[in-house]
Amino acid sequence: MQRSTAQVEGDTVAYRVIQWATGGVGRAAIEGILRHPDLDLVGCWVHSADKVGRDVGEIVGQGPIGVLATDDPEAVYALDADCVVYAPLMPDKREVARLLESGKNVVTPLGWFRPTEADARMETTARDAGVTLHGTGIDPGGITDLFPLALSVMTSAATFVRAEEFSDMRGYNAPDVLRWVMCFGATPDEAKVGPMLKMLTGGFTQSLRLILDGMGFDPTAEIRTDHQIAVATAMIDSPMGVIEPGRVAAQRFQWDAVVGETTVARVAVNWLIGEEDLDPAWTLGDAGERFEVEIKGDPDQLVTFKGFQAARPEDGWDRNPGIVATANHLVNSIPYVCRAEPGIKTYLDLPLMAGRAHPDLAPKPS
Ligand SMILES: NC(=O)c1ccc[n+]([C@@H]2O[C@H](COP(=O)([O-])OP(=O)(O)OC[C@H]3O[C@@H](n4cnc5c(N)ncnc54)[C@H](OP(=O)(O)O)[C@@H]3O)[C@@H](O)[C@H]2O)c1
């Protein structure tokens, strides 16, 4: 059984949490940790030189909380903590392994949604250290796997599952992610070989595999990938700067799980930098920004999720609701992950996880 402060001390002491990176997800996670009744923030790693030594409360626009940011990973590995919210720009397997080896559980939006053969070593590392690694988020890690699985319980004889995002990416104020990971503003040829396809394919095919595993579809299903691009026909303004004509301004990625010639599960994202000046012309449709989950069977279901995208792109720059939702999913999972058996654990292994009531509406401490 793994170590956990709260268990050892009879649920009277909060789980000690470290935040790794303070981008959009990291800052929202810090806010969530500070609000969560069962969690204490005890450390923070930052990449940016100008954040080193700063009080983490001030980094998120609150008053000082007495936790200072460091860029020294060794100092983080040495800290006594139960869990790390690992949310840097790109995943570094050595860092994740060191965090696990140092006896800390890890929750992350950057992978490990469903382990594959390639994760065998990380699984061993987690088990040997007696800790748990859990990948979660919104997309992947929510809309594309957890919600289809949860909704499927009300359909029998399912024949097709679809989870799809429709977003205006002008509301996502992460210029590095937009430019260097997602390849917006690149040439179509660059985007076709950019890191996104590989990164996304890793994450979203894990979502597909979770659906196949959880619902009992043929696990030998072939995964087929499709990537469509539209380019700007005029200068388009965005959080990462102006996108020049001829450069990538809209993308659709689609992953299908195919049994024989039948598509049984589909995950897709439609990411547009606005709906104007695109070639080919492209819109999000009359329903606008949204996430959809569809299940065909007895009966069919179609659920549309609203609220994870900002009403206007600029409303999402400081706190994008989808990014906040991602951070909340990470933060709310921490107590469950700290109590789980060691290894890489998915939604199929963990119990039903829930968010927490507003403090004004929770029982008052006696
Ligand atoms: N699964 C999901 O649903 C989901 C949802 C949203 C995002 N994500 C992923 O989560 C990650 C974080 O997203 P975000 O929106 O928080 O991105 P972001 O706002 O760009 O923040 C990334 C942070 O990583 C740190 N960083 C920057 N350059 C780095 C480098 N070269 N090496 C290591 N760290 C670096 C910085 O931290 P400091 O500011 O502390 O220096 C930066 O603020 C991205 O990879 C994104 O794709 C997943």
Side-chain angles (χ1 to χ4, degrees):
M1 185 57 91
Q2 67 192 101
R3 180 182 66 90
S4 85
T5 310
Q7 279 173 303
V8 170
E9 303 192 15
D11 275 342
T12 54
V13 176
Y15 291 105
R16 294 162 57 83
V17 183
I18 296 169
Q19 178 57 44
W20 188 288
T22 58
V25 173
R27 290 194 308 278
I30 289 166
E31 293 175 341
I33 295 163
L34 295 177
R35 278 194 208 122
H36 197 296
D38 304 332
L39 304 179
D40 270 348
L41 188 74
V42 297
C44 180
W45 178 90
V46 290
H47 175 263
S48 311
D50 62 351
K51 292 182 178 174
V52 175
R54 286 185 61 195
D55 189 286
V56 178
E58 288 173 351
I59 290 176
V60 298
Q62 302 183 13
I65 57 169
V67 177
L68 303 184
T70 178
D71 63 351
D72 177 4
E74 295 299 331
V76 174
Y77 303 141
L79 265 179
D80 178 22
D82 297 297
C83 192
V84 178
V85 179
Y86 182 78
L89 191 58
M90 303 282 268
D92 180 329
K93 284 187 179 178
R94 286 162 308 172
E95 285 171 353
V96 175
R98 288 290 308 277
L99 290 168
L100 296 171
E101 284 163 357
S102 72
K104 297 168 186 64
N105 300 284
V106 174
V107 295
T108 177
L110 285 158
W112 299 285
F113 306 97
R114 187 267 197 191
T116 65
E117 299 72 32
D119 298 310
R121 211 158 140 192
M122 198 67 88
E123 170 79 25
T124 304
T125 301
R127 281 175 184 263
D128 288 350
V131 292
T132 303
L133 171 59
H134 175 56
T136 188
I138 187 171
D139 186 5
I143 297 288
T144 52
D145 33 46
L146 176 65
F147 292 146
L149 285 166
L151 292 168
S152 73
V153 79
M154 287 183 286
T155 285
S156 63
T159 55
F160 176 65
V161 178
R162 176 178 64 87
E164 189 155 359
E165 174 179 353
F166 300 82
S167 288
D168 182 341
M169 301 306 275
R170 291 176 302 171
Y172 185 31
N173 191 13
D176 289 340
V177 178
L178 286 172
R179 182 180 295 281
W180 304 118
V181 182
M182 296 181 168
C183 294
F184 284 104
T187 66
D189 284 347
E190 288 165 346
K192 286 279 177 198
V193 295
M196 201 62 189
L197 197 56
K198 187 160 175 266
M199 256 185 86
L200 282 180
T201 296
F204 285 116
T205 57
Q206 289 180 45
S207 290
L208 281 176
R209 293 281 174 211
L210 270 175
I211 291 170
L212 300 181
D213 293 349
M215 294 180 64
F217 285 108
D218 185 341
T220 65
E222 179 194 347
I223 306 292
R224 295 184 186 164
T225 306
D226 186 44
H227 180 197
Q228 294 168 27
I229 289 173
V231 296
T233 57
M235 310 264 249
I236 301 177
D237 212 2
S238 82
M240 49 161 270
V242 168
I243 295 182
E244 303 283 340
R247 298 300 181 110
V248 173
Q251 302 185 73
R252 174 185 165 82
F253 295 89
Q254 177 178 300
W255 296 268
D256 282 354
V258 183
V259 175
E261 279 310 309
T262 304
T263 299
V264 297
R266 170 172 297 162
V267 167
V269 294
N270 301 268
W271 289 334
L272 279 59
I273 307 284
E275 297 177 278
E276 292 172 6
D277 302 318
L278 298 174
D279 179 24
W282 200 341
T283 73
L284 297 168
D286 292 343
E289 291 189 90
R290 66 200 183 279
F291 293 84
E292 288 181 353
V293 174
E294 179 182 21
I295 300 175
K296 289 201 176 295
D298 179 23
D300 293 343
Q301 301 183 40
L302 175 59
V303 178
T304 300
F305 295 81
K306 289 279 196 178
F308 291 139
Q309 286 122 334
R312 300 173 308 161
E314 54 271 35
D315 295 342
W317 290 350
D318 190 28
R319 289 178 91 251
N320 179 295
I323 296 300
V324 175
T326 301
N328 288 338
H329 206 173
L330 290 156
V331 169
N332 285 321
S333 71
I334 291 173
Y336 304 90
V337 169
C338 289
R339 289 194 287 265
E341 291 298 315
I344 304 175
K345 297 298 175 196
T346 75
Y347 305 121
L348 297 175
D349 307 307
L350 294 167
L352 178 68
M353 296 183 271
R356 305 296 303 206
H358 190 285
D360 292 349
L361 300 171
K364 304 285 171 280
S366 50

